[in-house]
Amino acid sequence: MNDKANKRNPVLLVHGINDTGAVFNKMARYLGKQGMVVCTLDLIPNNGSELLDNLAQQVADYVNMNFAPEQPLDIVGFSMGGIVSRYYIQRLGGIEKVKRFITISSPHRGTNIAYLTWLKGALQMQPNSDFLNDLNSDVEMLNKLNFTSIWTPYDLMILPAESSRISVGKEVILPVALHPCMLTDKRTFKVVAAALDEPINY
C-alpha cells in the first residue's frame, strides 16, 4: 500500500461556479482514505464574473507555487472547474504536467443556463461560444493523458445534460439526481478513485 501511495500523483480538485474548494470535502476525505494526497484551491471571484482563461491562470499559478516543476499531477474539475482546468491543460502548458484528468458534470459543449446571465465568465460557457469552440477545436490533445468525463443525465445546471459529453477519453454516466449531488454520491467517489488509480497512457 505504501509503495503504491508513493507512486501516486498529488490530486488537485478544481471547483465550479459559486463554490469553493470546500465543496470537495467529502470527496477529499474519501480519496485521502485511499492514500491519495489531495489539494484544493479557491478560484477568485467564483461567481462567473471573471474570464475563465484568467481563472485558469490562477490554477497555473497555484500549481507552479505548490509543486516542483518535475512533479506530475492529476486534476479533478467539477462543472466550471472542468472547463477552467481544460484551459490550463490545453492552453497554459498543463498538458506537460497533468497525467490524469477527470471532469465531473462539466459543460464541454456549453449550457443553456449561461444565457441567463451577462457575467463574462459565464458567457464563455454558452453553447458555441468562441471560448468553447476554441477549446474543442483541438480537444484531441487530451488523448495525451488519461481523461475521464463523468456526468449525469439528470443534471439541471448543464442543459442539455448531454453537453457534458466529449469526443475523447472515457465516459462514465451515473444516474445521480441533480448537479451538486455529483460531489456527494459515493458512486462518483468510486469512479474518480478508480480513474486516479489507472496506469498512465504513455
Side-chain angles (χ1 to χ4, degrees), residues 56-113:
Q57 185 61 55
Q58 293 181 27
V59 175
D61 293 343
Y62 180 91
V63 170
N64 292 337
M65 288 175 57
N66 291 278
F67 302 101
E70 67 277 6
Q71 174 64 59
L73 185 69
D74 299 336
I75 289 182
V76 179
F78 172 62
S79 195
M80 178 187 76
I83 305 303
V84 169
S85 299
R86 275 188 64 190
Y87 193 90
Y88 162 64
I89 291 169
Q90 292 181 240
R91 298 290 179 264
L92 300 179
I95 192 73
E96 303 301 328
K97 193 171 188 68
V98 177
K99 302 304 178 185
R100 300 178 184 89
F101 177 37
I102 302 164
T103 60
I104 302 171
S105 294
S106 290
H108 294 295
R109 291 184 289 146
T111 172
N112 291 331
I113 291 290

